């Protein structure tokens, strides 16, 4: 009997590893190996055309004094500080509203909010470039109706970053709303019935029941969106290319320019390693912070 039990456990373990194997291979080939290779390249002077020249940690010394790099990191932090809270609050608010409306309208509303997420990021960026056009864009034409001054949007150093943030919010709001909505649907209705007996309805019920029970989902969304905000690239590449006057030059775009415009592959790899460490530390800090509150 013991032998059969051991065989059964072994077969279950082999089956589990068999299901995990494709994902593990994918992570190894597309994540871990490129990470190790990027660190290896960062120790070299390499323009992707000639042989690599080993220079040790010179690229890291160079980036420590690179003001343009640290300015791009600063712009990324600003993007994150604005984007993540707006996405979190907006998607949670929409999820609560969606949960309260009649069932027959939910499908239409879900489709409406998810459509931007289904469109490719490049197409979304192009659509908004037409909307933001300083001369003939729809938004400026709308402002004309109220006699308001035309805005430069992507052409303004003070408006370009927030204009891009609005586009990325428009794309991702529906997806995060659906995650929150699914989590809200899992909350037992008995909790709200008991709360209503005690007089806790509306905002009180949300604050004392909904929000605490959404904590795992909230942590997931905050961590994932923070990581995503540090990796923002395609919309900015299409809409502004880092301009005007580097006002939207985020970290990933700066790395891209160093690698593929200036062919500083070694230096770009060093920048990528540092960006990975920044994201890793921030994610770990967030998880530790939320764990302490439990």
């Amino acid at each position: 009997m013991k032998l059969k039990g051991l065989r059964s456990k072994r077969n279950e373990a082999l089956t589990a590893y068999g299901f995990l194997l494709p994902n593990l291979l994918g992570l190894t080939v597309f994540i871990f190996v490129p990470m190790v290779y990027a660190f290896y390249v960062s120790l070299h002077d390499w323009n992707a055309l000639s042989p690599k020249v080993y220079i040790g940690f010179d690229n890291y010394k160079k980036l420590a004094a690179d003001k343009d790099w640290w300015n791009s990191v600063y712009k990324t932090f600003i993007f994150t500080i604005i984007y993540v809270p707006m996405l979190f609050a907006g998607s949670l608010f929409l999820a609560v509203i969606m949960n309260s409306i009649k069932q027959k309208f939910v499908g239409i509303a879900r489709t409406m909010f998810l459509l931007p997420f289904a469109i490719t990021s490049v197409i979304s960026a192009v659509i908004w470039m037409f909307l933001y056009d300083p001369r003939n864009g729809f938004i400026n034409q709308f402002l004309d109706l109220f006699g308001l001054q035309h805005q430069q949007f992507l052409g303004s150093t003070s408006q370009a970053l927030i204009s891009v943030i609005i586009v990325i919010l428009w794309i991702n709001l529906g997806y995060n709303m659906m995650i929150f909505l699914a989590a809200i649907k899992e909350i037992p209705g008995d909790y709200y019935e008991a709360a209503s007996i005690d007089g806790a309805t509306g905002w009180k019920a949300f604050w004392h029941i909904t929000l605490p029970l959404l904590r795992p989902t909230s942590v997931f969304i905050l961590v994932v969106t923070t990581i995503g905000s540090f990796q923002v690239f395609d919309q900015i590449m299409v809409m502004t290319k880092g301009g005007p006057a580097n006002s939207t030059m985020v970290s990933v775009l700066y790395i891209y320019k160093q690698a593929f415009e200036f062919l500083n592959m070694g230096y770009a790899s060093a920048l990528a390693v540092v960006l990975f460490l920044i994201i890793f530390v921030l994610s770990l800090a967030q998880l530790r912070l939320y764990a302490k509150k439990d």
Side-chain angles (χ1 to χ4, degrees):
M1 294 294 292
K2 288 184 178 180
L3 184 60
K4 287 184 178 180
L6 290 172
R7 286 178 179 175
S8 177
K9 288 183 179 180
R10 185 184 63 183
N11 290 336
E12 287 180 3
L14 289 173
T15 302
Y17 284 121
F19 281 112
L20 288 172
L21 186 60
N23 288 327
L24 291 174
L25 286 174
L27 285 171
T28 302
V29 173
F30 297 108
I31 303 294
F32 298 127
V33 171
M35 285 170 57
V36 173
Y37 185 69
F39 177 71
Y40 168 76
V41 173
S42 73
L43 303 177
H44 295 77
D45 180 17
W46 185 42
N47 62 5
L49 301 174
S50 57
K52 301 180 186 69
V53 178
Y54 179 78
I55 57 173
F57 289 91
D58 286 357
N59 282 323
Y60 293 92
K61 295 176 183 178
K62 178 181 176 182
L63 73 84
D66 188 347
K67 292 182 180 179
D68 290 334
W69 160 247
W70 293 113
N71 182 63
S72 74
V73 174
Y74 170 74
K75 292 295 181 184
T76 307
F77 268 102
I78 295 299
F79 178 92
T80 302
I81 290 169
I82 299 173
Y83 169 73
V84 173
M86 289 180 69
L87 180 64
F88 180 87
S91 56
L92 178 56
F93 173 77
L94 287 175
V96 172
I97 296 298
M98 290 279 289
N99 189 54
S100 64
I101 64 177
K102 293 182 179 179
Q103 190 66 32
K104 62 180 180 180
F105 298 113
V106 171
I108 298 172
R110 285 179 182 175
T111 303
M112 181 178 68
F113 283 110
L114 276 174
L115 272 176
F117 188 77
I119 302 172
T120 62
S121 56
V122 173
I123 293 175
S124 299
V126 172
I127 291 171
W128 278 87
M129 285 175 70
F130 284 111
L131 295 176
Y132 281 142
D133 187 271
R135 292 186 178 180
N136 302 313
F138 174 79
I139 298 176
N140 275 324
Q141 289 184 7
F142 181 76
L143 293 177
D144 279 338
L145 298 177
F146 300 94
L148 298 175
Q149 184 179 359
H150 280 203
Q151 301 298 314
Q152 293 298 311
F153 297 117
L154 299 176
S156 167
T157 56
S158 61
Q159 297 176 3
L161 188 61
I162 190 65
S163 297
V164 173
I165 289 173
I166 290 171
V167 176
I168 302 175
L169 279 172
W170 176 75
I171 293 170
N172 294 315
L173 203 59
Y175 175 76
N176 286 275
M177 178 201 71
M178 292 300 297
I179 296 175
F180 270 128
L181 184 59
I184 290 173
K185 294 289 187 185
E186 292 297 317
I187 299 175
D190 297 342
Y191 292 168
Y192 296 103
E193 291 177 7
S196 65
I197 294 172
D198 294 333
T201 57
W203 172 253
K204 288 184 178 179
F206 170 78
W207 187 257
H208 294 288
I209 298 174
T210 307
L211 199 57
L213 293 176
L214 287 178
R215 182 177 179 77
T217 305
S218 299
V219 172
F220 168 77
I221 287 180
L222 284 171
V223 172
V224 169
T225 53
T226 299
I227 293 172
S229 65
F230 271 83
Q231 297 175 330
V232 63
F233 170 74
D234 39 5
Q235 291 89 359
I236 293 180
M237 180 65 182
V238 173
M239 298 176 76
T240 66
K241 293 182 173 59
N246 290 334
S247 60
T248 59
M249 181 62 71
V250 291
S251 300
V252 175
L253 183 58
Y254 186 79
I255 294 170
Y256 172 86
K257 286 180 176 290
Q258 289 293 328
F260 299 105
E261 290 187 12
F262 307 129
L263 294 180
N264 295 328
M265 292 295 180
Y267 185 54
S269 297
L271 297 175
V273 170
V274 170
L275 181 61
F276 165 77
L277 292 175
I278 292 172
I279 295 173
F280 179 78
V281 170
L282 280 176
S283 302
L284 192 61
Q286 281 183 305
L287 292 172
R288 290 284 180 89
L289 178 65
Y290 300 133
K292 286 181 179 179
K293 292 182 179 179
D294 288 337

